[in-house]
Amino acid sequence: MNDVYITRIAKFLPNNPVPNDQMEQKLGILNGKSSKAKGIVLRNNKIKTRYYAIDENGEITHNNAQLTKEAVELLCDEDFTTKDIELLSCGTSSPDQILPSHTAMVHGFLKNRNLEINSPSGACCSGMNALKYGFLSVKAHQVNNAVCAGSERTSSWMMANTFEEEVNHLKSLEEQPIIAFNKEFLRWMLSDGAGAVLLESEPKGKQPLKIEWIEGYSYAHELDTCMYAGGDKLENGQLKPWSEFPAHDWSEQSLFAMKQDVKLLSENILVKGVDSLKHALDKHNVKPEDLTYYLPHISSFYFKDKLYEEMVKQDFVVPLDKWFMNLEKVGNVGAASIYIMLEELVDSGKLNKGDTILLHVPESARFAYNYALLTVC
């Protein structure tokens, strides 16, 4: 088996950062009134700026595949071009279409060469699953290199026109035309962007990172769906897919908008997160104090203190001085967040040879978690 190293890392964040007071200018206002939920959500998540693939005129500047293509090209130069890529593995929770696959579309924009592609589906963990596929492929001598990426373009899913027909339908029923909180909640949480890494079997570059291991855990066998799009949640907790609804319900119920069961999220995301963290580190005989940096992908600063409290409760604490986050500046970029966080840490100049970095990515869709341990070479 080969050792596997991250030898290059890049991110692409579209356009200019969007501060809180400009969010509704970009996404639009529902029913002609500024959102009451917005202030509550932003106060809790403490995100100050995020990025949207939307220009000053409200026009879309990039689709998801184009964002990913930009990040991949930023990995490359005259010594390693896009034509040298042997495997392309890209994860996202917001693909531009159902078919073809997200990575097929990225490959189409790259126009580089015939190569293997992989498109893991899912939410935030899809970016880590893309990384694991590349990691295992290089490790097993299947390919000499792999480019892995995570990306999101959720802004277009959150724009006011996505909910317009549902608002009109509520008006026709003489109900209050207020979109349910589980739909509006995510409008004030999510950001656009992409990150990518190059994996090789030799420690090349200025500061390569050796991937020691990658682990994943799912709790879907015991917990209901929490975050979803393309369906609706029934009273019994089951998810009814869009394909089983009449076509007129697709827009009247905003079925393709992302939704979050906030109660289910708060009850389980941290408990299962620390439980899976213990499993991963115990499996590899790593203790929290062995880590130099801990990169937790959390959707909101609301969860930071509560995650630490849960660690204390389960007697498995990663000291706060080891935590590295950039949520406040870039927002929650889903499958891309861990790539963008790692890129910033690498670019910071803080890393020293022998430092260890733990990546921790939760996914609330149906409660999955991924971990990776990296060593600075």
Side-chain angles (χ1 to χ4, degrees):
M1 291 287 185
N2 280 325
D3 287 334
V4 183
Y5 302 88
I6 296 173
T7 58
R8 300 183 183 210
I9 185 166
K11 70 173 184 286
F12 180 75
L13 299 170
N15 306 311
N16 296 317
V18 178
N20 293 348
D21 60 1
Q22 293 180 19
M23 293 180 75
E24 284 184 307
Q25 294 176 33
K26 293 286 188 179
L27 300 179
I29 295 174
L30 299 180
N31 194 34
K33 299 176 183 177
S34 185
S35 168
K36 293 181 179 179
K38 173 188 169 188
I40 299 170
V41 176
L42 290 173
R43 189 161 58 247
N44 280 309
N45 68 30
K46 293 182 171 59
I47 298 170
K48 293 184 178 179
T49 55
R50 74 284 297 144
Y51 291 81
Y52 294 142
I54 304 170
D55 68 15
E56 298 304 318
N57 300 314
E59 299 295 324
I60 291 173
T61 58
H62 304 79
N63 65 24
N64 192 331
Q66 289 169 326
L67 290 173
T68 313
K69 171 249 188 189
E70 295 289 341
V72 171
E73 288 185 336
L74 286 171
L75 289 175
C76 300
D77 56 23
E78 60 184 15
D79 296 321
F80 184 89
T81 72
T82 58
K83 289 183 169 58
D84 294 314
I85 300 170
E86 296 186 16
L87 166 65
L88 183 65
S89 181
C90 307
T92 187
S93 53
S94 53
D96 298 313
Q97 63 289 306
I98 298 173
L99 289 172
S101 76
H102 172 60
T103 308
M105 301 307 290
V106 177
H107 186 205
F109 281 117
L110 286 171
K111 297 187 182 304
N112 48 350
R113 54 166 282 190
N114 180 286
L115 49 75
E116 181 183 356
I117 62 171
N118 174 56
S119 286
S121 64
C124 301
C125 284
S126 64
M128 286 290 283
N129 289 331
L131 179 65
K132 187 166 186 176
Y133 188 90
F135 165 66
L136 294 176
S137 296
V138 174
K139 194 169 189 64
H141 296 264
Q142 288 287 302
V143 291
N144 294 309
N145 67 67
V147 166
C148 308
S151 67
E152 302 292 355
R153 204 284 302 268
T154 52
S155 58
S156 60
W157 297 32
M158 301 298 162
M159 294 180 78
N161 57 17
T162 303
F163 305 91
E164 188 174 352
E165 194 161 340
E166 181 174 0
V167 170
N168 292 334
H169 180 60
L170 290 171
K171 286 179 180 177
S172 71
L173 295 175
E174 297 184 353
E175 294 184 19
Q176 285 281 17
I178 299 173
I179 296 296
F181 184 73
N182 69 339
K183 295 179 183 178
E184 191 183 353
F185 172 74
L186 289 172
R187 293 191 84 209
W188 318 118
M189 299 288 290
L190 303 178
S191 183
D192 297 344
V197 296
L198 171 62
L199 305 185
E200 297 181 275
S201 59
E202 297 179 8
K204 300 176 182 177
K206 295 179 181 178
Q207 202 163 50
L209 308 174
K210 183 183 177 184
I211 302 178
E212 303 291 351
W213 46 260
I214 302 177
E215 297 287 348
Y217 302 88
S218 168
Y219 293 84
H221 64 299
E222 59 184 60
L223 295 172
D224 289 338
T225 300
C226 181
M227 187 177 74
Y228 50 99
D232 205 10
K233 199 169 182 180
L234 306 179
E235 290 294 328
N236 63 6
Q238 295 295 310
L239 197 67
K240 183 177 179 180
W242 63 271
S243 56
E244 295 178 13
F245 283 88
H248 61 79
D249 283 353
W250 298 353
S251 54
E252 285 187 355
Q253 297 187 35
S254 305
L255 290 180
F256 291 96
M258 282 191 179
K259 297 166 278 290
Q260 182 103 59
D261 185 329
V262 181
K263 183 175 184 293
L264 189 64
L265 176 74
S266 62
E267 290 175 350
N268 295 285
I269 193 69
L270 301 176
V271 175
K272 300 303 184 185
V274 178
D275 181 68
S276 56
L277 173 65
K278 290 167 66 176
H279 282 301
L281 294 189
D282 285 348
K283 179 177 179 179
H284 294 278
N285 196 29
V286 177
K287 298 177 181 178
E289 55 267 28
D290 297 334
L291 305 173
T292 312
Y293 291 98
Y294 171 57
L295 276 57
H297 164 51
I298 59 175
S299 60
S300 165
F301 272 102
Y302 171 81
F303 290 118
K304 181 182 178 182
D305 289 343
K306 293 186 179 299
L307 175 57
Y308 185 79
E309 290 168 8
E310 186 61 35
M311 287 178 173
V312 172
K313 189 182 295 184
Q314 295 195 35
D315 194 25
F316 204 80
V317 178
V318 179
L320 285 171
D321 61 2
K322 297 177 182 290
W323 295 36
F324 181 90
M325 299 165 59
N326 60 0
L327 178 68
E328 181 181 60
K329 295 183 292 184
V330 302
N332 177 6
V333 206
S337 284
I338 199 66
Y339 288 81
I340 294 169
M341 208 184 314
L342 181 61
E343 189 277 341
E344 184 171 324
L345 177 60
V346 170
D347 192 54
S348 71
K350 296 178 179 179
L351 296 178
N352 297 299
K353 187 174 181 179
D355 285 352
T356 55
I357 305 166
L358 182 70
L359 311 182
H360 176 171
V361 180
E363 172 179 300
S364 64
R366 199 156 177 176
F367 299 100
Y369 302 83
N370 281 100
Y371 301 90
L373 186 70
L374 315 177
T375 301
V376 181
C377 297

